[in-house]
Amino acid sequence: MSSIRYEKDATGVVTLLLDAPDQPVNTMNAAFQADLREVVDRLAAEREQIRGVIFASPKRTFFAGGDLRALMAVRATDAAAFFRELEALKACLRRIEQLGRPVVAAINGSALGGGFELALSCHARLCIDDPAIEIGFPEVTLGLLPGAGGVVKTVRLLGLQNALPLLSEGRRLAPATARAMGLVDGLVRDRDELLASARAWIDAHPDARQPWDEPGHRIPGGTPSSPAVAGVLPIAPAILHQQTRGNFPAPEAILAAAVEGTQVDFDTAMRIESRYMTRLVTGQVAKNMIGTLFFQLNDVKAGKSRPAGLPRWRAGRVGILGAGMMGAGIAWACASRGVPCVLKDVDLATAQKGKDYSARLLAGRVGKGRTPAAEAEKVLAAIAPSADVADLSGCDLVIEAVYENREVKAQVTREAEAVLDAGAIFASNTSTLPITGLSEASTRPGQFIGLHFFSPVDRMQLVEIIRGQRTTAETLARAFDFVLQIGKTPIVVNDARGFYTSRVFGTFVNEGMALLGEGVPAAVVENAGWQIGMPVGPLAVLDEVSLKLADDVLHQELADLERERCAHEHDHDGGHAHGHAHAHAHRHDHHGSGHTKRTGSSAGHRHTHNVKSRRIPESAVYVLEKMAHGFGRMGRAHGGGFYDYPQHGGKTLWPGLTVFERGGRSIPFEDVKDRMLYVQAIETIRCLQQGVLESTRDANIGSIFGWGFPAWTGGTIQFVNHVGVRAFAARAQALAQRYGERFAPPELLSKHAEQDTPL
């Protein structure tokens, strides 16, 4: 045996040390399963000489769970073989339960998934009382269910109503919480006390049996035929569907296995669980989620996108320019991870308001018992509000989070660099402006980089690192290390307008406007976005972002394109004009957080652009212009946009949107949904083709964590593989013929389709 050490003492207590060689954690791989069978055979053979059994681990964790690489490899044709293997594993665990000797799990570290299923096969579970230890079943977050008895046993321990949230939401519990729920039988202080308590439990329970093996055992709370359960169970599928939108098979399988299992005997319930597990393992959604949310995410955190060979770096002090929503959030991200920061704005009162944001977050956490008051004070002390640029002296990283305007950003860049040490890095939090252009204001462009945080920063994990044309590898490596230092997830992209996340996310909201402009009712557009799994519909997103910002970004793009065209024509002795006139009158009322505020005048300003947007379909431009300037509906912050926001009650779609339905053509609902998904995936492929992205890993992680691309797909690129590259390319071509060239398969997609190789 290589992964389990069998040690029997003079009193007849066997300690089974779970210690897979050359692995940081124990997993339920093929080697472990073979060793477990051998161990169980030996326990049965030596039963008369055994007084009890302890499962323990010398590693930092108790047991990490299943072998995900092996699960990823299971295909539909392997279903029968997988089912047999799973049943064999469960039979082995069942023999432990029915050994006739007390068996204790001595949990010294996290026990998740298959690891906790192993613990549930023991008659008692004792655990070190350390809040860092996690206990639970996270399988659902990877498209699976606890298939080694986790569903059946948890329901029989806790009852349907208590077990289902734990199983279907993938909750991870601290030991004290698990003890209160009845999943853990006792808490101890340290490893020595853990083993001593396990031996004491064996002494006190020589005839231990599992609760479900006791005569007359009843499921807590009752079965589906019990009045209390029967009253709530019929609505459970509807509630679940509202959460999953029918895109995630695992929660539905968990509900089915749990409910069906309560109506049959224990062994039959275990077989039902195995059948549902087999269905999930052989399905594509689980493979999408495991591949991206486990393997690719771990690769990102391990630094696969970081320049190799450079020493690790930690920021000692960070400066933040602009104490608005983003700057305040970045200050929280730094301080909450122990990184001191200076939060600077035009005056001290504004900077203090930015610090107050962290104070409010901490007050909520202290009130809920999640953060001790002393720790909260320490976090707040790490944020130094300031109105003096000289206070940035000594910062080794400065992040500007000011108004999205080149001139403003150039001004604060020059001011900050004047007081910074020679080795300090300067980063821009811009979401769309090319970093190479912004770095022209810097005297050290090699140390200039983009750090695009997402709002709200305290809840959004992703940070998009943008490498400018002159950004050095050392600067990139340090930026990457800083993002990990503050507990965020970094992806690396190369410089381009909109970078990756803003560029591709823009295609989603633009497609929503395009559909509206083509006559699709607004409710249909929003429901389609909801059904495919986006967090909210595209029109609702635009209201939150503000149509005013979208309009400003559009006209910044048109102005830049016009300058490029003029330069091109000048280089060709005048050349020839092309494009189309794009004109309207509107006011400039810019209110940005940070160092500059501009108030609008009552006079309108006429803008005529003889160019066409490269990002936004004409029907979407029409809707944006009509909403922002025809109707004056600029979004939620401006009183209303696509939605009305009454003082009391929920938001509702603005009735005036029916104007866009006049003369519209009929578009199949499947096309509406596919247009939203495909346009994002196709634009991501263009980013790969153009070198904006260098890995599918960063594409997938960035899409799910950045703007909420449906997790069931595995991300924008994995969605293509989910459909199949040839089928995807054919569908994209059909959409292009019906709705425009933006759906045309890029060359990279066509190449993979010809070779039938995944992206």
Side-chain angles (χ1 to χ4, degrees), residues 74-247:
V74 180
R75 302 300 170 194
T77 53
D78 303 321
F82 176 82
F83 176 81
R84 289 193 297 270
E85 291 171 5
L86 183 56
E87 285 288 279
L89 170 63
K90 293 164 91 165
C92 197
L93 296 175
R94 188 71 172 132
R95 290 178 67 192
I96 293 172
E97 295 182 357
Q98 297 180 318
L99 182 64
R101 296 291 183 268
V103 183
V104 181
I107 304 173
N108 63 292
S110 293
L112 296 170
F116 195 60
E117 287 176 302
L118 176 63
L120 282 176
S121 297
C122 301
H123 302 114
R125 289 158 296 284
L126 307 179
C127 185
I128 295 175
D129 190 10
D130 180 353
I133 292 176
E134 294 181 322
I135 290 171
F137 298 109
E139 284 92 340
V140 69
T141 63
L142 297 176
L144 301 171
L145 60 72
V151 174
V152 173
K153 295 176 184 179
T154 305
V155 168
R156 277 165 166 73
L157 275 177
L158 307 181
L160 279 167
Q161 289 176 281
N162 290 328
L164 281 172
L166 178 71
L167 296 165
S168 62
E169 297 172 16
R171 294 182 184 176
R172 299 176 182 227
L173 309 175
T177 306
R179 173 74 178 90
M181 290 182 67
L183 291 171
V184 167
D185 299 285
L187 300 177
V188 299
R189 289 171 297 184
D190 53 34
R191 187 182 291 265
D192 290 340
E193 187 178 344
L194 178 64
L195 293 175
S197 296
R199 292 174 180 275
W201 197 94
I202 288 172
D203 292 340
H205 301 83
D207 300 316
R209 286 193 291 187
Q210 292 285 33
W212 43 87
D213 287 330
E214 295 286 352
H217 172 261
R218 296 290 182 267
I219 294 174
T223 65
S225 60
S226 305
V229 178
V232 297
L233 197 57
I235 65 171
I239 294 173
L240 187 61
H241 186 79
Q242 187 176 30
Q243 296 170 346
T244 68
R245 308 172 200 183
N247 296 318

Side-chain angles (χ1 to χ4, degrees), residues 416-746:
E417 286 189 351
V419 301
L420 294 180
D421 295 339
I425 300 169
F426 193 95
S428 174
N429 180 55
T430 180
S431 60
T432 58
L433 299 177
I435 292 300
T436 303
L438 294 179
S439 72
E440 292 175 1
S442 172
T443 59
R444 51 183 92 173
Q447 293 158 235
F448 196 102
I449 198 165
L451 286 177
H452 177 202
F453 288 79
F454 293 77
S455 182
V457 178
D458 60 288
R459 295 204 300 268
M460 299 294 284
Q461 283 300 108
L462 191 76
V463 177
E464 184 179 32
I465 303 176
I466 305 101
R467 174 171 45 196
Q469 292 178 10
R470 290 178 285 183
T471 304
T472 66
E474 182 179 22
T475 298
L476 174 59
R478 290 186 174 188
F480 194 100
D481 294 343
F482 166 71
V483 174
L484 291 179
Q485 182 182 355
I486 60 173
K488 300 292 185 183
T489 301
I491 63 168
V492 177
V493 306
N494 290 313
D495 198 17
R497 181 178 297 279
F499 319 127
Y500 165 53
T501 57
S502 294
R503 171 177 168 177
V504 179
F505 172 67
T507 65
F508 169 62
V509 295
N510 292 338
E511 201 61 34
M513 286 194 294
L515 287 159
L516 184 64
E518 292 169 36
V520 178
V524 173
V525 173
E526 294 293 83
N527 281 318
W530 184 84
Q531 284 191 27
I532 63 176
M534 296 297 293
V536 292
L539 305 181
V541 171
L542 268 167
D543 264 12
E544 297 296 331
V545 172
S546 96
L547 281 77
K548 185 180 188 313
L549 177 60
D551 184 64
D552 288 345
V553 171
L554 167 64
H555 287 283
Q556 181 70 67
E557 178 204 11
L558 296 176
D560 290 349
L561 292 174
E562 197 162 55
R563 281 196 296 270
E564 291 174 13
R565 190 201 67 173
C566 291
H568 174 76
E569 290 178 352
H570 178 75
D571 290 343
H572 290 80
D573 298 320
H576 62 278
H578 55 87
H580 71 286
H582 178 91
H584 64 266
H586 63 94
R587 290 170 53 184
H588 285 288
D589 294 320
H590 300 300
H591 297 282
S593 66
H595 291 246
T596 300
K597 294 182 180 180
R598 303 180 181 182
T599 57
S601 66
S602 59
H605 297 280
R606 189 88 182 168
H607 286 270
T608 300
H609 298 291
N610 294 310
V611 290
K612 182 178 179 179
S613 173
R614 294 175 182 170
R615 302 178 303 109
I616 307 180
E618 281 296 283
S619 55
V621 171
Y622 164 70
V623 170
L624 181 57
E625 300 271 294
K626 190 78 170 174
M627 290 293 293
H629 308 295
F631 300 129
R633 297 184 66 87
M634 294 286 199
R636 182 169 189 170
H638 300 271
F642 293 108
Y643 285 80
D644 283 326
Y645 300 90
Q647 188 173 2
H648 303 288
K651 66 185 181 183
T652 56
L653 283 164
W654 179 50
L657 296 179
T658 55
V659 70
F660 296 113
E661 297 176 31
R662 298 171 187 169
R665 58 173 169 164
S666 176
I667 297 178
F669 190 58
E670 286 303 310
D671 285 9
V672 174
K673 293 193 294 183
D674 277 358
R675 281 174 60 171
M676 292 185 191
L677 283 170
Y678 274 65
V679 74
Q680 297 179 73
I682 290 168
E683 192 67 19
T684 301
I685 297 170
R686 291 194 186 102
C687 288
L688 279 171
Q689 184 173 293
Q690 296 165 7
V692 176
L693 285 164
E694 294 185 355
S695 74
T696 58
R697 171 183 61 245
D698 284 349
N700 288 329
I701 294 297
S703 64
I704 293 175
F705 287 85
W707 69 88
F709 192 78
W712 63 267
T713 67
T716 45
I717 292 299
Q718 182 55 30
F719 173 62
V720 180
N721 299 329
H722 169 95
V723 175
V725 287
R726 286 184 172 172
F728 185 95
R731 177 61 168 154
Q733 189 59 54
L735 292 172
Q737 291 170 355
R738 294 178 202 168
Y739 305 112
E741 280 300 303
R742 63 187 177 279
F743 295 103

Side-chain angles (χ1 to χ4, degrees), residues 183-369:
L183 291 171
V184 167
D185 299 285
L187 300 177
V188 299
R189 289 171 297 184
D190 53 34
R191 187 182 291 265
D192 290 340
E193 187 178 344
L194 178 64
L195 293 175
S197 296
R199 292 174 180 275
W201 197 94
I202 288 172
D203 292 340
H205 301 83
D207 300 316
R209 286 193 291 187
Q210 292 285 33
W212 43 87
D213 287 330
E214 295 286 352
H217 172 261
R218 296 290 182 267
I219 294 174
T223 65
S225 60
S226 305
V229 178
V232 297
L233 197 57
I235 65 171
I239 294 173
L240 187 61
H241 186 79
Q242 187 176 30
Q243 296 170 346
T244 68
R245 308 172 200 183
N247 296 318
F248 294 90
E252 296 177 1
I254 289 170
L255 176 62
V259 173
E260 292 172 23
T262 62
Q263 301 176 83
V264 294
D265 63 89
F266 181 84
D267 292 333
T268 303
M270 293 284 270
R271 284 197 299 276
I272 290 171
E273 178 190 271
S274 295
R275 292 191 177 106
Y276 279 111
M277 179 63 168
T278 302
R279 183 183 302 175
L280 293 175
V281 166
T282 55
Q284 186 59 44
V285 170
K287 299 184 192 310
N288 294 343
M289 297 178 72
I290 294 170
T292 298
L293 298 177
F294 185 81
F295 290 113
Q296 292 187 355
L297 182 59
N298 284 343
D299 283 346
V300 165
K301 292 180 176 179
K304 291 293 180 68
S305 299
R306 181 188 188 274
L310 293 169
R312 296 289 172 179
W313 182 80
R314 291 182 66 83
R317 190 163 178 256
V318 175
I320 301 158
L321 305 179
M325 181 176 65
M326 290 302 299
I330 296 169
W332 160 261
C334 292
S336 62
R337 290 288 177 149
V339 182
C341 59
V342 177
L343 183 57
K344 182 192 176 300
D345 212 301
V346 290
D347 56 63
L348 191 58
T350 304
Q352 183 61 48
K353 286 181 182 178
K355 180 175 180 176
D356 290 345
Y357 177 80
S358 290
R360 290 192 297 272
L361 288 176
L362 287 165
R365 292 174 179 237
V366 170
K368 294 176 181 177

